[in-house]
Every structure is written in structure tokens, then in C-alpha cells.
Amino acid sequence: MRKIYSFMLVMGLMVGILVGCSDASQDRTGENQSTKQAVNQGFPLSLQDAVGNKVTIEQKPEKIVSLIPSNTEAVFALGSGEKVIGVSENDNYPEETKDIQKIGGMEIDTEMILALQPDIVLAHESAHNSKEGIQQLKDAGIPVIIVNDAKSFKEVYTSIEMIGTAIGELDKAKEIVKTMQNKLEKIKEKAKAIKSEDRKSVFVEVSPSPEIYTTGKNTFMDEMLDIISADNVAGELDGWVKLDEESMIAANPDVIITTYGYYTGDPVKEVTGRNGWADIQAVKNGEVFDVHSDIVTRSGPRLIEGVEELAKSVYPNVFKN
């Protein structure tokens, strides 16, 4: 059940990426307009969230509830982890989250959140199952910020700055974004050393057989592969899609990346032991690797770690340092 639930969570988040609100997408081309308006204004402040709601926050929040792991990771990175009083059942990073009150999973426990009396709730555009509960929180007078469901690094930066603005840590948010941008540029610079004839084709497997899902365009994984000068064998497909084994055998990727090792015993063996896969280049050359899904799917500060892990797996000689 844990395997199924974990995959459903990832798929649920990514569906939001593909069907996100068109109004919100207009604000994602750069820094959120309301974030810019809030700079240096202090509290109270008003900002516009990812779905166009204008939210007023009277004073700097001291009690924060986060409904999704990426929001939580951003708050901790902003140095406000001690203010987090409620997180989802899926939060597992940083370690401190294990001792924080859980407020539900894909469905939020509205009564629990109300009992915690938070100063602010950080929701997420992908949380379609929680709309009724979120409205109840708003009706109770609790400021709810719906953070954008980012589908690119640029949009992740907007998410972090929106959260930073809402909790009174915009300067720190800008520092985090700048650090992420600098690290990403260094990775891109190293990737320039890879000649076109040396580019590798990569298959990313986010769910094991018999329900094999991979990642196409309009996902972080596809953008990450492009950044490191690798070719996504499913790059012509859109979003997260189910594929049959015959298609993957025919694609014959140079490298296979799995992202489910945290809930399976041996993901590499799971791939290399399949009937008919022995002649795939990645299997023959021993280039099957597992990368933890949290660092390649969560739209937070650790996403750069995901790029680095992918780079080291696909091109170890180029990105060994």
C-alpha cells in the first residue's frame, strides 16, 4: 500500500503541473507581481496567490501550517522551521518534520488545522482534493496562500519567493533563489563540455513494472536532462505517462534512472532482471541508477541536488566533482 500511495501522491502532484490554472500561469513568467509589491512593506501586507486570490496577512506569522512537503522544505530553508506547527503525512524532510503534528495527506484534516490556530496556511495549487477544507479555513479567518504548482525552475523560484513574502522572509528567499541559480549555471557550464555525439539517451522510470510510468516534457525531470545535455527517450510525450515494456526495449536507452528505491528493496535489480531487457544498452553497460524521487520532483530548494545527482549518474566523468 505504501508503494501505491507514494506513487499516487507523486502522480497527483504532477497532474496539477499539467492542468494548472490558466490565470495563475500568467503570473509565472517572472517574479509574482504581488511579491514585488510586498517588498519592503512589512506587515500587514497583501499579496496575490497562485490562483489570483488577494490575501491579507496582518502580522508576521509565528504559527505556520504547510499542506505539502515542498512548502515545508522551503519554510525550513528560510530559517523558520521552528514556526511550523502542522505538516502533511507525506513530509519527511528535514528530520524535524517527524515530530510535527500531522494534518492529513491527500485529504487535509480541517478540524485539526483549526484546532492548531495557525497564523497562516501554505496550501498548493495541486491539492484539488482539499478545496472544500481550504474554504473552511478561509471562512474561519485564517490566511491561506495557494502556492503555484511549479513546472520549471523559474516557477520554483517564484514559489520560494511567494512563501518568503508570506512569512516575512523575502530577503532570505531571494538569497536561496540566487544560490540555486548560481549552482544551476555551474552545472550548465560543465555540461557544455559534452559533445553532441557523446550525448546519452536516458529513460526515467518513476514506477516499476508492471505499471511503468515515465516522465515526458513539461516535467522537472525532462528539464533536468536537458540541462545536463542528455536526451529524454520519452521527451516527445507530455507529462507523466504509462508505457509498455516493449516500447522501452525498442527505445534502447543508454542510461536508465529509477526513482522508487526508497520504497523497494533493489530497484536496479528490478530493472536488470526483467525478461527481454538484457540487450538494452543501459543494462548491458551497467548504467542503471536510482535517484530519490524527493529531490527530482519536489519544487523546493533541494531540486538542484536532484540535477547534480542525475548529472553524476549519467555523466560521471564530467560531473565527478
Side-chain angles (χ1 to χ4, degrees):
M1 287 298 294
R2 182 184 176 193
K3 167 182 171 181
I4 295 172
Y5 183 79
S6 298
F7 179 64
M8 285 179 63
L9 173 67
V10 172
M11 290 300 296
L13 297 182
M14 299 314 296
V15 166
I17 285 173
L18 301 175
V19 300
C21 175
S22 60
D23 291 338
S25 65
Q26 296 174 2
D27 284 330
R28 293 178 183 162
T29 55
E31 187 179 32
N32 180 275
Q33 184 63 34
S34 292
T35 299
K36 290 190 286 186
Q37 293 173 352
V39 177
N40 298 323
Q41 289 186 2
F43 290 87
L45 65 78
S46 294
L47 60 81
Q48 182 174 296
D49 69 11
V51 295
N53 297 322
K54 184 178 180 180
V55 184
T56 299
I57 306 169
E58 295 296 337
Q59 58 188 7
K60 187 171 182 176
E62 295 298 325
K63 296 191 295 181
I64 302 169
V65 166
S66 171
L67 305 188
I68 198 166
S70 57
N71 289 350
T72 307
E73 292 195 19
V75 174
F76 271 86
L78 290 165
S80 297
E82 76 284 353
K83 297 180 180 180
V84 179
I85 59 171
V87 297
S88 80
E89 294 170 355
N90 306 299
D91 277 80
N92 57 5
Y93 185 90
E95 185 71 15
E96 293 92 321
T97 56
K98 70 178 183 180
D99 298 320
I100 298 176
Q101 177 65 54
K102 303 301 183 289
I103 46 77
M106 298 183 75
E107 294 281 353
I108 63 172
D109 186 336
T110 309
E111 291 186 5
M112 173 63 72
I113 297 173
L114 291 171
L116 290 172
Q117 299 182 319
D119 297 321
I120 191 172
V121 171
L122 299 174
H124 198 263
E125 192 180 1
S126 69
H128 304 295
N129 295 338
S130 302
K131 287 183 177 179
E132 184 177 333
I134 287 173
Q135 187 58 52
Q136 291 179 32
L137 298 176
K138 292 180 180 179
D139 292 342
I142 299 173
V144 178
I145 303 294
I146 299 184
V147 179
N148 62 305
D149 195 0
K151 61 182 180 182
S152 68
F153 281 94
K154 190 173 184 179
E155 292 171 6
V156 171
Y157 304 150
T158 296
S159 300
I160 294 172
E161 291 188 357
M162 181 183 293
I163 293 172
T165 300
I167 68 173
E169 300 293 350
L170 181 57
D171 287 343
K172 290 182 181 178
K174 288 181 176 295
E175 290 176 10
I176 290 172
V177 168
K178 188 63 176 176
T179 298
M180 292 176 70
Q181 291 172 329
N182 289 341
K183 287 182 177 180
L184 202 60
E185 284 305 311
K186 289 180 180 179
I187 294 172
K188 290 179 179 179
E189 201 59 37
K190 282 189 175 182
K192 290 180 180 179
I194 300 166
K195 298 177 181 179
S196 57
E197 61 267 26
D198 295 327
R199 286 178 68 102
K200 293 183 180 180
S201 61
V202 181
F203 168 54
V204 179
E205 187 170 295
V206 298
S207 178
S209 180
E211 299 287 315
I212 297 178
Y213 278 81
T214 191
T215 173
K217 59 186 176 182
N218 294 320
T219 64
F220 285 124
M221 295 291 285
D222 186 63
E223 184 177 5
M224 289 176 176
L225 291 174
D226 184 60
I227 286 170
I228 66 171
S229 295
D231 297 318
N232 182 2
V233 297
E236 296 302 313
L237 304 174
D238 193 31
W240 295 56
V241 292
K242 182 179 177 181
L243 293 179
D244 57 71
E245 293 194 26
E246 289 74 16
S247 297
M248 297 325 305
I249 293 173
N252 193 27
D254 298 313
V255 181
I256 295 176
I257 300 291
T258 65
T259 64
Y260 46 83
Y262 68 102
Y263 67 78
T264 61
D266 191 339
V268 173
K269 187 176 181 180
E270 151 71 23
V271 171
T272 59
R274 291 174 186 162
N275 291 331
W277 285 54
D279 291 329
I280 293 178
Q281 285 295 115
V283 176
K284 286 198 299 185
N285 297 332
E287 295 199 52
V288 181
F289 310 99
D290 184 73
V291 175
H292 200 294
S293 68
D294 288 355
I295 61 174
V296 290
T297 60
R298 287 186 182 174
S299 52
R302 290 197 296 160
L303 210 53
I304 300 301
E305 294 180 31
V307 184
E308 292 171 338
E309 287 302 309
L310 277 177
K312 291 175 183 177
S313 297
V314 178
Y315 298 112
N317 293 332
V318 177
F319 296 98
K320 56 186 175 182
N321 296 322

